[in-house]
């Protein structure tokens, strides 16, 4: 009986590692890495409404460049708005952020509502996108050659104690990618 138990254990020891071999090696060959993208905008105006668009290209990121030949997938993780400086500090505006693909197709529009940009100098405004908005972005990213976006920030109904105002802000977007090591 001991001989059968010993043989069974030897066979089991040989089979178990072989059965997990593919799964374990696949997990060790995959790296998940975040790609943070920061897009600044600088507004100086006296108009009651202002809009500015900027191109965001993932391939300009050093993280993307480091792993570009090994990328398996890229997905949207999160986005936020923050203010670097605003003059006058009492300025308020109805703010909206729009993201489009490289062909001008709308991926999402996110209204922040009537806000004071000065409220977001120390704590960013986290954009809480819906799952369908995130799916639209991820569908676009599922084709790995799609890595260019156009972000637009719009200020309407601007009120301030001064005629001319300045807003220096940032839209931060974080993507996550899986790569082969």
């Amino acid at each position: 009986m001991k001989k059968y138990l010993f043989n069974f254990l030897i066979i089991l020891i040989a089979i178990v590692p072989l059965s997990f071999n593919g799964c374990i090696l696949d997990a060790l060959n995959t790296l998940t890495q975040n790609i943070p993208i920061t897009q600044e905008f600088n507004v100086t105006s006296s108009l009651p409404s202002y809009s500015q668009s900027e191109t965001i290209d993932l391939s300009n990121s050093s993280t993307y460049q480091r792993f570009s030949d090994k990328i398996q997938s890229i997905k949207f993780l999160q986005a936020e708005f923050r203010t670097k400086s605003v003059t006058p500090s009492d300025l308020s505006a109805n703010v909206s952020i729009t993201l489009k693909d490289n062909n001008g197709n709308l991926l999402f529009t996110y209204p922040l509502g009537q806000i004071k940009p000065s409220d977001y100098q120390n704590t960013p405004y986290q954009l809480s996108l819906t799952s369908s908005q995130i799916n639209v972005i991820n569908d676009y990213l599922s084709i790995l050659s799609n890595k260019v976006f156009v972000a637009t920030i719009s200020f309407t109904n601007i009120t301030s104690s001064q005629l001319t105002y300045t807003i220096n802000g940032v839209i931060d977007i974080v993507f996550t990618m899986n790569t082969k090591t």
Side-chain angles (χ1 to χ4, degrees):
M1 186 70 163
K2 288 183 182 182
K3 182 178 178 181
Y4 291 114
L5 185 59
F6 179 74
N7 288 340
F8 177 73
L9 285 174
I10 295 294
I11 292 170
L12 186 63
I13 289 172
I15 291 175
V16 169
L18 291 175
S19 67
F20 290 115
N21 190 18
C23 298
I24 292 172
L25 291 179
D26 286 346
L28 293 175
N29 286 334
T30 302
L31 172 70
T32 301
Q33 182 73 35
N34 287 345
I35 308 171
I37 303 290
T38 297
Q39 184 58 57
E40 294 188 29
F41 59 90
N42 300 303
V43 176
T44 300
S45 181
S46 58
L47 299 173
S49 297
Y50 190 88
S51 185
Q52 183 175 344
S53 296
E54 298 290 339
T55 300
I56 298 171
D57 189 342
L58 289 173
S59 63
N60 291 336
S61 163
S62 61
T63 303
Y64 181 92
Q65 291 171 3
R66 189 171 45 239
F67 297 102
S68 65
D69 59 335
K70 300 174 185 173
I71 296 173
Q72 293 178 313
S73 66
I74 300 175
K75 297 201 180 284
F76 171 85
L77 187 60
Q78 70 181 34
E80 60 188 26
F81 161 80
R82 60 188 165 93
T83 305
K84 292 175 72 175
S85 65
V86 60
T87 304
S89 61
D90 69 344
L91 180 138
S92 70
N94 192 353
V95 180
S96 180
I97 296 173
T98 301
L99 191 67
K100 294 182 178 180
D101 67 18
N102 195 32
N103 296 319
N105 298 312
L106 180 66
L107 298 174
F108 74 80
T109 295
Y110 191 91
L112 281 66
Q114 188 75 21
I115 65 166
K116 288 179 65 177
S118 62
D119 289 345
Y120 300 99
Q121 285 184 289
N122 297 321
T123 305
Y125 187 109
Q126 180 82 32
L127 278 63
S128 299
L129 300 179
T130 66
S131 59
S132 62
Q133 290 171 318
I134 293 170
N135 288 339
V136 170
I137 298 167
N138 288 337
D139 287 346
Y140 175 68
L141 288 168
S142 68
I143 300 170
L144 292 178
S145 62
N146 291 340
K147 53 188 175 273
V148 178
F149 299 88
V150 177
T152 302
I153 189 157
S154 299
F155 300 92
T156 57
N157 301 324
I158 298 170
T159 60
S160 74
S161 59
Q162 296 176 8
L163 181 59
T164 302
Y165 56 86
T166 302
I167 305 169
N168 296 315
V170 175
I171 298 172
D172 292 312
I173 303 176
V174 181
F175 299 92
T176 185
M177 67 178 170
N178 288 325
T179 64
K180 287 188 177 195
T181 57

